[in-house]
Amino acid sequence: MAARTKTTTPHHNAVIRAVKLSNSKLGGSAAHTWRTMPVPHADKDRTHLNEDWRPVSSPGALRAAIRERLKLADNVTTSSVVAIEYVVSGPHEAFAEQGGPVKWREYFRDALAYLEARHGAENIVAANVQLDESTPHLAVYAVPLVDYPATTRTRNVILGKQDGEWIRGPKTFDMPARTALSATHFMGQREQLRELQTAFAEEVASPHGLRRGLRHSAATHVTTKAYHQALARGLAENLSLSPDELARQGLLWGRESPEEHAARVTSFVVEHYAPTVARAATANIERRRADEMAETARRTEAALDEERKARQQAQERLRGLIGGLSREEVAKIEGFAGKCRRLRREAEEARKREEAQREKEAQAELERMENNRAAQLRRLPPEALARMGDGERVKAWRLAVTRDDLEQTLETWLNSDFFEANGYLSSRGRAFVEKENPKPAERHTTQEQAPTTPRAGMPVRSPFER
């Protein structure tokens, strides 16, 4: 961004808003941005002036660009936030067209550069300048991808058994580099949004004559939908003329029909009085904003009062502690306090060293146990490995895969054809185990006994008789 002389205009606040968009919300936002849905406050005759600063110029193209970026992430779900929409603007009167200091093209270019630095230029998939509204806006769509470098992670796991008891200890795992989708990384906490407002004002807005909005603000954002509803209500209530109403007046103007006259008069009223009606229709919103600003001032003053009281109480406690003491005595107290801080710091450092030493010893013990196990496996023939249970065999196999010193042993196991690539028995391995451990033979009678049938003349006994 080009360096500029820093100027301040007290009543011109910068505007930057961020909204998280899932797939279900993306369509409505894109339709509003590229005017594929009715936008009452946009002038259709000026829509052609809008500019796209990325190849994306339609809702469909936006979805395609986002899908392409999401291929890099490993954690995308159906409910994921797939984009963050930023809207950058300022007060109507702040722009140069209204006599203000802000030139929209330079301001929006700097804003886009700021967002590219925040997200990475490749993750800014769309940027649309809207000039068909009374105040210029910049809408930016960013895919919130985060690149995490390779690292290690230590977890407390079961290491094995000793004297019949399970042993637990720390184990370090390698975590490969990855790319994840994370809107939380950029705007997961309220403090992050405050920092966004502050940093944007300092780095972008201030050189263009804008400043940060008030901290501790009680203002709530009036959604576009709410504003449009208020505007539509005002227009419907105040600018509706029907042919029937004109006909009841009994007035005739030449050959003009009531319908033609109604259309002409309505067009005239809309053209000349729509701005006044719109202001009246949104008066409630403006009154609410005024109340919110008053509440903001009250909160700010309350926060300052709390800070003053806390500082005053701290000073009073300090005076109570050192009141009546000489400078030499105060110096001794300060020296004692410094010594306590040093001892506390040294104790904390000693604790960290001991913890690191314990972790190092646990890691060394883990390595010793793995080395002993590797020494046992190095001399283990395939037949003995095949006789193991599945769980024990797979553990031994995985250890052999991760150790260079067991490479020859692993090759011997593989060449035996007793095992699959994951350590489970192959068909040949199962045949070998079954051959060594045949199933007990089933007992068969040498002569099939036919059920006894009574001979003629013999009494038939019930099976329930004893």
Side-chain angles (χ1 to χ4, degrees):
M1 290 180 289
R4 292 181 175 83
T5 304
K6 185 175 180 179
T7 61
T8 57
T9 304
H11 301 295
H12 291 163
N13 292 337
V15 174
I16 180 169
R17 294 194 299 270
V19 179
K20 294 186 287 188
L21 299 175
S22 60
N23 274 313
S24 61
K25 297 180 179 179
L26 184 63
S29 172
H32 177 275
T33 297
W34 283 284
R35 309 313 194 208
T36 57
M37 64 177 289
V39 181
H41 65 288
D43 185 352
K44 295 180 180 179
D45 295 334
R46 292 175 53 84
T47 299
H48 68 280
L49 299 175
N50 294 356
E51 298 181 7
D52 287 304
W53 290 358
R54 285 290 190 275
V56 170
S57 59
S58 68
L62 176 65
R63 286 191 178 276
I66 290 175
R67 281 197 301 268
E68 190 65 25
R69 295 303 300 166
L70 292 181
K71 291 179 181 178
L72 302 175
D74 59 2
N75 64 332
V76 181
T77 66
T78 55
S79 60
S80 294
V81 173
V82 297
I84 298 176
E85 180 190 10
Y86 292 92
V87 176
V88 177
S89 187
H92 176 72
E93 63 277 5
F95 287 89
E97 291 78 1
Q98 311 302 326
V102 180
K103 297 179 179 179
W104 63 265
R105 187 174 296 276
E106 288 80 0
Y107 174 42
F108 290 162
R109 280 178 178 169
D110 287 353
L112 181 58
Y114 172 82
L115 294 175
E116 287 176 342
R118 179 179 173 87
H119 285 275
E122 65 280 2
N123 292 322
I124 304 297
V125 294
N128 178 264
V129 178
Q130 299 169 359
L131 302 175
D132 56 354
E133 302 180 34
S134 60
T135 303
H137 290 74
L138 170 67
V140 176
Y141 292 87
V143 180
L145 294 179
V146 182
D147 293 325
Y148 294 99
T151 183
T152 57
R153 182 179 179 183
T154 301
R155 296 177 57 189
N156 193 34
V157 299
I158 295 176
L159 303 178
K161 266 190 175 182
Q162 185 175 3
D163 298 332
E165 295 184 359
W166 291 106
I167 301 174
R168 298 185 68 89
K171 184 174 182 179
T172 301
F173 299 86
D174 291 330
M175 304 294 290
R178 58 188 289 258
T179 299
L181 187 67
S182 178
T184 303
H185 178 83
F186 297 98
M187 49 183 301
Q189 299 178 357
R190 183 180 294 273
E191 189 58 34
Q192 288 176 288
L193 297 177
R194 291 198 184 103
E195 291 175 358
L196 169 65
Q197 298 289 335
T198 300
F200 180 81
E202 292 177 352
E203 298 181 30
V204 179
S206 182
H208 292 278
L210 299 173
R211 70 171 190 177
R212 190 198 191 284
L214 290 176
R215 295 171 176 81
H216 306 289
S217 175
T220 55
H221 173 55
V222 177
T223 64
T224 302
K225 180 179 179 181
Y227 183 85
H228 291 174
Q229 287 174 344
L231 181 59
R233 268 197 313 273
L235 294 173
E237 293 170 359
N238 295 275
L239 297 178
S240 177
L241 294 175
S242 68
D244 292 340
E245 289 173 341
L246 291 177
R248 282 196 297 270
Q249 295 178 13
L251 300 179
L252 295 176
W253 284 267
R255 298 178 180 178
E256 189 175 43
S257 68
E259 288 80 5
E260 293 171 337
H261 179 65
R264 181 170 59 81
V265 174
T266 299
S267 176
F268 173 82
V269 175
V270 169
E271 180 181 356
H272 289 81
Y273 296 103
T276 302
V277 174
R279 285 193 294 271
T282 57
N284 288 335
I285 293 177
E286 299 302 329
R287 282 195 295 271
R288 192 183 81 185
R289 285 176 173 168
D291 293 340
E292 288 170 345
M293 292 304 294
E295 176 64 14
T296 297
R298 187 197 66 78
R299 289 186 186 182
T300 304
E301 185 62 30
L304 291 175
D305 285 342
E306 288 294 327
E307 186 175 347
R308 282 194 292 264
K309 288 178 182 178
R311 185 173 181 179
Q312 184 178 1
Q313 290 172 356
Q315 290 176 342
E316 290 176 355
R317 285 196 300 270
L318 182 61
R319 282 195 296 268
L321 291 173
I322 64 174
L325 298 180
S326 63
R327 291 184 178 180
E328 291 77 8
E329 291 170 330
V330 171
K332 289 181 180 180
I333 292 175
E334 291 176 349
F336 178 74
K339 181 180 179 181
C340 290
R341 286 193 295 270
R342 185 180 70 255
L343 293 175
R344 187 163 55 248
R345 184 171 59 253
E346 291 173 354
E348 178 65 17
E349 292 174 353
R351 184 190 66 78
K352 291 181 178 179
R353 286 195 299 270
E354 291 176 0
E355 184 176 343
Q357 182 63 25
R358 286 196 297 271
E359 185 174 337
K360 183 178 179 181
E361 291 173 355
Q363 183 66 24
E365 179 63 18
L366 175 61
E367 292 179 359
R368 185 189 66 80
M369 294 176 62
E370 284 192 354
N371 289 336
N372 291 340
R373 180 59 173 160
Q376 296 172 0
L377 295 178
R378 195 174 297 115
R379 300 184 296 270
L380 190 70
E383 295 79 6
L385 182 65
R387 297 187 190 101
M388 293 182 179
D390 285 345
E392 187 179 0
R393 184 191 326 109
V394 170
K395 287 182 180 179
W397 189 276
R398 289 176 179 173
L399 180 60
V401 170
T402 60
R403 293 184 65 101
D404 295 337
D405 56 345
L406 292 178
E407 183 177 356
Q408 187 174 356
T409 301
L410 183 63
E411 185 176 353
T412 302
W413 293 348
L414 286 169
N415 291 336
S416 69
D417 291 334
F418 282 178
F419 313 101
E420 302 288 350
N422 56 8
Y424 286 92
L425 289 175
S426 64
S427 57
R428 183 179 178 184
R430 287 194 298 272
F432 168 78
V433 174
E434 291 173 359
K435 182 178 179 181
E436 286 206 341
N437 301 290
K439 295 181 180 179
E442 296 181 0
R443 298 178 62 184
H444 299 282
T445 57
T446 57
Q447 182 177 357
E448 185 176 359
Q449 296 180 356
T452 303
T453 56
R455 292 191 299 272
M458 292 181 62
V460 178
R461 298 181 63 185
S462 167
F464 298 102
E465 294 181 14
R466 293 182 177 275

